[in-house]
Amino acid sequence: MFEKQAVREGMKVRARDGEDLGKIVSVSSTGIVIEKGFFFPRDYEVPMHLLSDVRDDELWLSCTKEDLKVEGALTGGAARTSELRSPEAGTREEGRMQLSEEELEARKHVRDRGEVRVTKEVVTEHKQLDVPVMHEEVRVERIPASGTEHTATGAFEEKTISVPVRDEEVEVVKRPRVREEVRVSKTSRVQEQRVSGDVRREEARIEGEGDLERDPLSPRRDPDER
């Protein structure tokens, strides 16, 4: 259960979606004050009913940053300053006007920029190999007798001599082997991209007759005022 006593100065404040809104600079019975930072142009006060939970020494709100803008739940630092000053006797509030302004917010979306395809195709080419092969050749010679031999072995008998002749025959065999490997990888790189846009803001122009007292803490934005 959420305990208001656990809220203290210096704690980090997060919106319902986890966005970091800043640190607490003041705690009161009505709410907290978030320091001026990246999101807020000045210190802002958040009502106590928007405080949701304390987890890991961080204060979580029950609304998002956008909810705070739309609902106007935040009170500017000028209101905080007015609490520190003693109100003048007889001073009463007659009306209020909220001044809004737009701000630029960059949102990133991942999109498909293209693709790289690697396809394996079969290509046929003709190759030649020089292979040394052996073959046998037969040479027949006639050698005259010396004349000293008078008796011939197996004379007047028919006879056949068979001499086998051999050679080598080439057989072409194909076998696959890995020639190379193709590897595909991706590398993410971050670069700065500048974006721009027109934003609107509301300004108050003060006009009146008679005695007009201006709050010394309010900014002078009307170029006609001296």
Side-chain angles (χ1 to χ4, degrees):
M1 179 179 296
F2 171 63
E3 297 182 359
K4 297 180 180 180
Q5 294 80 1
V7 180
R8 56 178 176 78
E9 295 183 5
M11 295 182 66
K12 181 180 294 186
V13 182
R14 291 190 180 273
R16 183 180 60 191
D17 54 4
E19 184 170 1
D20 186 359
L21 300 181
K23 293 184 179 180
I24 302 176
V25 296
S26 177
V27 181
S28 65
S29 59
T30 60
I32 64 170
V33 177
I34 303 177
E35 66 177 349
K36 172 183 177 181
F38 177 77
F39 170 56
F40 302 120
R42 58 185 182 275
D43 292 351
Y44 271 82
E45 183 177 4
V46 181
M48 187 65 71
H49 71 273
L50 293 180
L51 310 186
S52 175
D53 191 12
V54 174
R55 300 196 302 267
D56 299 330
D57 202 26
E58 294 180 347
L59 176 61
W60 289 72
L61 304 183
S62 61
C63 59
T64 64
K65 178 182 70 175
E66 298 299 328
D67 295 335
L68 294 177
K69 292 181 180 179
V70 175
E71 298 178 4
L74 299 180
T75 304
R80 179 192 173 203
T81 306
S82 64
E83 294 178 359
L84 303 179
R85 297 182 301 179
S86 298
E88 299 180 1
T91 301
R92 64 179 181 178
E93 183 178 301
E94 296 293 340
R96 291 190 180 187
M97 175 187 296
Q98 292 185 343
L99 301 180
S100 303
E101 66 179 7
E102 296 176 331
E103 65 178 14
L104 293 180
E105 179 181 357
R107 296 182 179 181
K108 298 184 292 183
H109 303 279
V110 179
R111 61 184 177 91
D112 293 334
R113 188 167 59 93
E115 65 177 358
V116 175
R117 293 188 297 270
V118 179
T119 306
K120 183 173 68 174
E121 298 178 348
V122 178
V123 179
T124 302
E125 60 180 345
H126 186 73
K127 286 191 174 183
Q128 294 180 346
L129 292 177
D130 293 332
V131 181
V133 293
M134 180 273 298
H135 70 278
E136 297 177 338
E137 297 179 353
V138 177
R139 185 177 63 181
V140 179
E141 298 179 301
R142 292 176 179 267
I143 304 175
S146 60
T148 58
E149 297 181 3
H150 299 284
T151 304
T153 303
F156 304 106
E157 295 180 2
E158 293 184 0
K159 186 177 180 181
T160 301
I161 299 177
S162 178
V163 179
V165 180
R166 299 175 301 173
D167 65 2
E168 292 179 335
E169 181 181 6
V170 178
E171 179 184 4
V172 179
V173 178
K174 295 183 289 185
R175 58 182 177 85
R177 68 179 180 88
V178 178
R179 180 172 57 90
E180 63 180 348
E181 185 179 56
V182 178
R183 295 182 180 179
V184 180
S185 60
K186 295 193 302 183
T187 301
S188 299
R189 303 188 185 277
V190 178
Q191 63 181 15
E192 295 290 336
Q193 181 178 357
R194 178 172 296 178
V195 296
S196 62
D198 297 330
V199 295
R200 300 172 298 173
R201 74 167 183 263
E202 299 172 341
E203 295 185 354
R205 185 173 61 183
I206 303 174
E207 299 177 348
E209 297 179 358
D211 296 336
L212 178 63
E213 180 181 356
R214 179 192 296 273
D215 187 350
L217 297 180
S218 63
R220 300 179 68 96
R221 292 186 174 179
D222 189 353
D224 297 334
E225 296 182 1
R226 303 300 182 186

